[in-house]
């Protein structure tokens, strides 16, 4: 999988690069409109992370060029602007997703994976981790082939943790992803704990090998024993 | 007190005082003049009588007023010498009128061929009395008329002269810095008003300018903060993920992350506020608040049940309104979230939807200050709130001219949105 990061803030792109490389993607990084233009002219990428406010040009222009050329590269716009106009314009121009800064690394990972999944494995939306098997389309979880009954929130939590398997997922990232943006500034996300507790119990009873580990003060990590 | 009433009342007071004094003086002056002329007449008559009596001594014995208007009585030299002319008003029975009528009487003394006599001359005051009465009433009328005229004139002139001023006031009253950028001034020939208009125009332009630049500043600052915040949060996330830190250090890291995230939320809220105020949410659609509220309630379900809070959504009518869907969601979500976070554990939150109103009610102990409730940064007791939620709801309500109210009764906080 090849990822191109177009981002002028060096540290920002380094963070994204680290995250992407952890998922064993091939990552290239450019920091200007010009560089980006020459890169997309030569290579094909599976996913492009595009910052639309570049010092020497508008990222939306790049998007237009990409789509005009009929290139199938998936594009996720990352923007500090988070303006509705940009979002709509970007999506209308053919961007696959829009991620306003600041975002969590787990969220970036989830979005990229979702897009790659949509693009590459048509139909078979199944995620496997150890003896855990998640059928995303059918909202089905199987452990060693045996179905595990989960409610919607538990499913969403497990899916999000599985997408970010072996990675630290902060409580905020999890809450915002599963419970939506409205939940922000809510009661320090204490309510997440009860969901996790139930999910853990179900996983243990079903003898799942993956285990939700709490990283005290920050969040959770799905690891396989 | 209105400026007009103010000047009018001053005018009236001063006029009443001055005109009263003036009227009294005038009245006395005229009265004096009338008496003077009467007295002169009496004096003249006296001289004529005395001169006539010198030729006709029979007159000296006339001691009734019968047909003449004088009487002469002899007197001693002692009284006569001490006697000075005295005028006075008195009443006398008049045959023709068959009544007592006011008369002016002159008492004097004179010597005739060594004998001393006292003489009383009278003249009727009937006409003069009428004259004085007439004079008095005319004066009153004049006085009232004058005051009325002056007040009316003042009223009229005031309205005319101050018209540019009132015009300015009216437009200032309507002026809203969030909507208007300019104010229309009427033309005026009065230099002072020209100056006033000019100055106010300058001041307003300056205020609008700084208001806009302040708005832009907040928006730009919030934008600029996003990237460094993103970098810091992501760096910490990666650090927490990569290193095998001690649990205690991990906890510290978590604390830093939490605070950075708080900062992020605050920043987002500020950005949202300035966007609402800058009217950057243009796309409007028909929003069904029944559906919206049920959906938001579902999203908050876990948060509510965690604190054993039950939310009753009562739909008495269908409520639809044309506005930005995103803003509609934020408007009600903030109010509901506010209720959920502040209601005591294991209590109920009521959401009631009427035809033109949404009511959100939760339990509480003390009333909140309705004056500061919707202002920015008025956080409640809990520190997780950024204190902007209600301010944002208010800004959205203002944006669509909706009314948002707070009431506290029977230990219930009630927030209502009137559509």
């Amino acid at each position: 999988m090849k990822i191109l990061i177009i981002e002028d803030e060096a540290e920002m792109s380094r963070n994204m690069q680290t995250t992407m490389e952890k998922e064993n993607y091939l990552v290239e990084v450019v920091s200007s409109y010009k560089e980006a233009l020459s890169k997309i002219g030569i290579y094909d990428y599976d996913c492009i992370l595009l910052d639309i406010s570049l010092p020497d040009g508008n990222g939306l222009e790049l998007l237009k060029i990409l789509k005009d050329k009929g290139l199938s590269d998936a594009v996720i716009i990352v923007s500090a602007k988070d303006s509705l106009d940009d979002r709509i314009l970007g999506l209308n121009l053919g961007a696959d997703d829009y991620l306003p800064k600041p975002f969590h690394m787990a969220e970036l990972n989830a979005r990229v994976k979702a897009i790659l999944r949509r693009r590459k494995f048509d139909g078979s939306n199944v995620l496997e981790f150890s003896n855990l098997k998640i059928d995303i389309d059918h909202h089905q979880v199987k452990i060693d082939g045996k179905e595990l009954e989960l409610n919607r929130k538990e499913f969403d939590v497990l899916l999000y943790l599985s997408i970010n398997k072996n990675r630290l997922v902060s409580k905020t990232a999890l809450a915002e992803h599963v419970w939506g943006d409205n939940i922000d500034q809510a009661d320090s996300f204490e309510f997440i704990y009860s969901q996790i507790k139930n999910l853990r119990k179900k996983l243990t009873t079903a003898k799942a090998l993956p285990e939700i580990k709490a990283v005290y003060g920050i969040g959770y990590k799905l690891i396989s024993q | 007190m209105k400026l007009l009433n103010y000047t009018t009342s001053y005018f009236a007071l001063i006029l009443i005082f001055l005109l009263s004094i003036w009227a009294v003086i005038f009245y006395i002056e005229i009265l004096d003049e009338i008496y003077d002329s009467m007295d002169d007449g009496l004096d003249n008559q006296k001289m004529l009588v005395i001169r006539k009596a010198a030729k006709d001594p029979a007159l000296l014995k006339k001691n009734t007023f019968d047909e003449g208007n004088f009487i002469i009585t002899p007197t001693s030299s002692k009284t006569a010498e001490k006697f000075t002319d005295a005028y006075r008003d008195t009443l006398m029975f008049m045959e023709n009128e068959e009544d007592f009528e006011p008369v002016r009487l002159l008492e004097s003394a004179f010597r005739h061929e060594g004998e001393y006599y006292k003489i009383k001359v009278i003249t009727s005051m009937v006409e003069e009395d009428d004259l004085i009465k007439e004079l008095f009433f005319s004066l009153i009328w004049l006085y009232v008329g004058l005051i009325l005229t002056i007040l009316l004139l003042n009223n009229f002139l005031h309205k005319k002269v101050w018209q540019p001023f009132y015009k300015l006031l009216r437009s200032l009253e309507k002026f809203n810095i969030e909507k208007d950028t300019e104010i229309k001034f009427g033309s005026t020939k009065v230099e002072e008003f020209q100056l006033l208009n000019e100055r106010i125009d300058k001041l307003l332009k300056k205020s609008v300018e700084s208001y806009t630049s302040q708005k832009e500043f907040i928006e730009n600052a919030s934008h600029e903060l996003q990237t460094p915040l993103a970098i810091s949060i992501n760096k910490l996330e990666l650090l927490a993920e990569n290193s095998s830190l001690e649990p205690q250090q991990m906890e510290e890291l978590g604390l830093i992350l939490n605070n950075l995230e708080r900062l992020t939320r605050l920043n987002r809220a500020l950005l949202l506020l300035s966007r609402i105020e800058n009217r950057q949410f243009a796309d409007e659609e028909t929003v069904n608040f029944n559906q919206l509220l049920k959906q938001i309630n579902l999203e908050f379900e876990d948060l509510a049940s965690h604190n054993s809070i039950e939310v009753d959504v009562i739909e008495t009518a269908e409520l639809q309104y044309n506005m930005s869907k995103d803003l509609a969601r934020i408007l009600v979500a903030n109010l509901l979230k506010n209720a959920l976070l502040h209601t005591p554990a294991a209590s109920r939150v009521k959401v009631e939807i009427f035809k033109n109103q949404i009511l959100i009610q939760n339990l509480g102990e003390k009333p909140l200050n309705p004056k500061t409730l919707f202002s920015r940064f008025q956080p409640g007791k809990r520190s997780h709130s950024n204190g902007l939620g209600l301010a944002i709801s208010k800004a959205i309500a203002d944006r669509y001219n909706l009314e948002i109210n707070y009431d506290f009764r029977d230990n219930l906080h009630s927030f209502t949105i009137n559509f």
Side-chain angles (χ1 to χ4, degrees):
Chain A
M1 297 276 185
K2 269 173 81 181
I3 310 272
L4 176 66
I5 298 172
I6 307 170
E7 162 71 65
D8 63 315
E9 286 277 343
E11 287 305 323
M12 191 72 213
S13 64
R14 197 172 303 163
N15 288 341
M16 291 197 274
Q17 188 181 6
T18 314
T19 296
M20 292 293 98
E21 277 170 352
K22 277 192 174 191
E23 301 297 321
N24 297 319
Y25 299 139
L26 213 68
V27 184
E28 281 181 40
V29 176
V30 292
S31 62
S32 70
Y33 182 86
K34 253 196 212 154
E35 277 178 88
L37 204 58
S38 63
K39 280 271 183 199
I40 56 175
I42 307 166
Y43 306 106
D44 277 345
Y45 296 93
D46 295 293
C47 184
I48 297 174
L49 302 178
L50 173 64
D51 180 1
I52 49 173
S53 41
L54 294 167
D56 56 343
N58 190 337
L60 290 174
E61 286 296 316
L62 276 176
L63 183 60
K64 228 186 258 171
I65 292 165
L66 265 173
K67 296 298 158 186
D68 285 348
K69 278 185 178 169
L71 294 171
S72 65
D73 313 31
V75 177
I76 298 177
I77 294 174
V78 292
S79 168
K81 258 176 121 186
D82 189 21
S83 84
L84 210 70
D85 294 344
D86 279 355
R87 189 189 288 253
I88 291 165
L89 197 60
L91 295 178
N92 281 346
L93 282 173
D96 296 82
D97 210 344
Y98 187 101
L99 196 54
K101 287 181 195 171
F103 46 80
H104 297 280
M105 291 286 104
E107 189 61 28
L108 175 68
N109 190 25
R111 302 273 183 117
V112 171
K113 278 199 175 151
I115 279 169
L116 293 179
R117 233 176 17 238
R118 270 210 303 265
R119 302 229 150 198
K120 298 289 170 187
F121 327 98
D122 324 71
S124 73
N125 254 337
V126 180
L127 212 125
E128 276 186 72
F129 183 43
S130 189
N131 65 346
L132 179 74
K133 213 175 189 180
I134 304 175
D135 187 337
I136 299 167
D137 291 338
H138 299 100
H139 279 245
Q140 222 172 38
V141 179
K142 278 183 180 165
I143 290 160
D144 290 325
K146 239 169 72 190
E147 199 175 328
L148 178 68
E149 282 292 334
L150 295 178
N151 68 30
R152 238 200 78 198
K153 291 284 164 57
E154 287 166 348
F155 177 84
D156 289 344
V157 170
L158 184 62
L159 177 62
Y160 196 60
L161 289 175
S162 306
I163 289 170
N164 288 295
K165 59 177 189 265
N166 294 321
R167 304 191 63 154
L168 179 60
V169 176
S170 75
K171 272 188 282 190
T172 329
L174 186 62
E176 282 175 10
H177 184 88
V178 176
W179 283 272
D181 289 338
N182 277 327
I183 217 76
D184 75 357
Q185 71 178 289
D187 214 341
S188 54
F189 307 125
E190 276 170 40
F191 63 95
I192 294 175
Y193 180 70
S194 51
Q195 295 284 342
I196 295 277
K197 217 168 79 181
N198 292 340
L199 184 57
R200 265 194 195 136
K201 217 183 275 167
K202 285 186 181 175
L203 286 176
T204 332
T205 325
K207 296 199 170 60
L209 291 175
E211 179 198 6
I212 300 170
K213 217 184 118 196
V215 180
Y216 193 70
I218 298 182
Y220 303 95
K221 210 177 200 177
L222 189 72
I223 49 165
S224 188
Q225 290 148 338
Chain B
M1 195 181 212
K2 277 194 171 169
L3 186 62
L4 177 65
N5 297 345
Y6 196 69
T7 50
T8 305
S9 61
Y10 259 103
F11 239 123
L13 269 176
I14 292 169
L15 274 179
I16 283 173
F17 182 68
L18 283 183
L19 280 182
S20 304
I21 292 178
W22 176 78
V24 167
I25 290 173
F26 181 75
Y27 182 73
I28 291 170
E29 202 57 39
I30 294 291
L31 210 60
D32 205 46
E33 208 50 50
I34 289 167
Y35 275 112
D36 211 38
S37 92
M38 269 197 298
D39 293 352
D40 278 353
L42 281 174
D43 206 37
N44 186 44
Q45 225 177 334
K46 180 193 90 181
M47 300 294 289
L48 288 175
V49 170
I50 292 171
R51 213 176 286 164
K52 223 174 167 183
K55 287 178 197 156
D56 181 7
L59 288 179
L60 293 171
K61 292 199 174 72
K62 184 179 180 308
N63 52 9
T64 56
F65 284 110
D66 290 342
E67 72 279 13
N69 50 2
F70 62 93
I71 51 169
I72 296 170
T73 45
T75 186
S76 64
S77 65
K78 237 181 189 173
T79 19
E81 264 160 16
K82 270 192 262 163
F83 212 89
T84 46
D85 286 5
Y87 302 93
R88 64 174 200 270
D89 294 341
T90 184
L91 291 172
M92 196 162 276
F93 190 80
M94 292 285 160
E95 295 288 338
N96 57 339
E97 302 278 342
E98 292 188 335
D99 201 3
F100 286 93
E101 288 291 331
V103 291
R104 186 75 172 163
L105 183 138
L106 166 64
E107 249 180 316
S108 189
F110 67 97
R111 208 175 80 152
H112 182 70
E113 293 169 351
E115 293 290 327
Y116 289 94
Y117 299 94
K118 205 162 92 181
I119 181 168
K120 284 184 182 173
V121 190
I122 57 159
T123 179
S124 169
M125 262 179 37
V126 175
E127 273 178 33
E128 278 75 9
D129 210 39
D130 284 348
L131 187 69
I132 287 163
K133 252 186 224 161
E134 200 85 352
L135 177 73
F136 180 75
F137 283 115
S138 328
L139 256 180
I140 295 267
W141 283 122
L142 182 72
Y143 171 73
V144 171
L146 207 61
I147 284 189
L148 278 179
T149 318
I150 288 173
L151 292 186
L152 278 175
L153 215 61
N154 172 49
N155 217 316
F156 171 74
L157 276 178
H158 178 100
K159 276 190 183 145
K160 198 162 169 57
V161 169
W162 288 86
Q163 195 210 13
F165 177 74
Y166 285 114
K167 208 168 169 187
L168 176 69
L169 267 191
R170 273 197 300 277
S171 26
L172 275 180
E173 214 169 27
K174 275 190 243 146
F175 183 78
N176 181 349
I177 200 161
E178 283 160 33
K179 288 180 194 151
D180 308 318
T181 47
E182 253 177 45
I183 196 165
K184 269 196 186 154
F185 296 100
S187 61
T188 169
K189 281 180 206 150
V190 184
E191 214 172 296
E192 281 84 351
F193 288 138
Q194 281 173 359
L195 191 69
L196 185 68
N197 285 353
E198 237 170 70
R199 291 283 136 181
I200 286 182
D201 190 37
K202 255 190 199 165
L203 265 174
L204 281 183
K205 276 190 181 135
K206 192 125 194 138
S207 307
V208 169
E209 214 172 88
S210 55
Y211 179 76
T212 342
S213 74
Q214 187 207 338
K215 275 201 306 194
E216 277 167 8
F217 174 77
I218 294 175
E219 197 177 341
N220 290 340
S222 303
H223 268 146
E224 292 307 317
L225 278 172
Q226 305 278 56
T227 305
L229 271 171
I231 292 171
S232 312
I233 290 172
N234 295 344
K235 280 256 177 279
L236 287 174
E237 279 176 340
L238 289 171
L239 177 66
E241 204 171 276
N242 294 344
S243 53
S244 45
L245 292 170
E246 297 287 315
Q248 208 192 333
Q249 290 168 315
M250 213 53 143
E251 216 183 315
E252 297 280 317
L253 205 64
L255 267 178
I256 302 170
L257 258 174
N258 279 345
N259 279 296
L260 280 175
E261 271 155 11
R262 223 171 102 188
L263 191 58
T264 305
R265 288 194 290 269
L266 182 66
N267 199 40
R268 270 197 204 138
L270 279 175
L271 200 53
L272 179 63
L273 255 181
S274 57
R275 272 213 219 108
I276 296 163
E277 279 164 6
N278 292 348
R279 313 193 142 238
Q280 287 178 15
F281 290 85
D283 53 319
E284 291 179 7
E285 57 188 294
T286 308
V287 180
N288 183 322
F289 278 87
N290 301 57
Q291 278 173 22
L292 187 64
L293 272 162
K294 278 187 275 184
Q295 194 188 331
I296 292 169
N297 183 32
L298 216 62
E299 283 171 27
F300 285 141
E301 203 180 23
D302 292 326
L303 171 65
S305 64
H306 178 71
N307 292 319
S308 317
I309 296 162
E310 286 206 42
V311 181
D312 306 315
V313 180
I314 305 162
E315 300 170 76
T316 57
E318 187 100 342
L319 176 56
Q320 292 192 335
Y321 197 76
N322 212 44
M323 65 188 289
S324 153
K325 194 163 188 181
D326 290 319
L327 291 186
R329 160 177 282 276
I330 296 167
L331 168 67
V332 285
N334 280 354
L335 289 180
L336 183 57
K337 186 155 58 188
N338 184 63
L340 285 175
L341 293 181
H342 291 95
T343 200
S347 66
R348 296 182 96 86
V349 169
K350 187 167 94 175
V351 178
E352 204 164 354
I353 307 161
F354 301 96
K355 197 162 169 267
N356 293 311
Q357 193 187 56
I358 293 174
L359 166 79
I360 295 177
Q361 215 169 43
N362 72 282
L363 218 61
E365 284 169 9
K366 269 185 288 185
L368 304 162
N369 184 353
K371 273 184 196 148
T372 55
L373 187 60
F374 293 106
S375 20
R376 296 170 190 196
F377 302 117
Q378 289 288 328
K381 274 179 266 169
R382 304 186 194 195
S383 57
H384 57 77
S385 148
N386 62 24
L388 285 173
L390 290 180
I392 288 172
S393 285
K394 176 91 172 95
I396 295 171
D398 287 348
R399 159 81 172 72
Y400 290 99
N401 294 322
L402 305 175
E403 209 182 289
I404 186 163
N405 288 319
Y406 166 75
D407 190 31
F408 184 81
R409 215 171 286 165
D410 304 329
N411 279 350
L412 284 170
H413 297 291
S414 302
F415 287 88
T416 46
I417 313 167
N418 294 313
F419 291 84

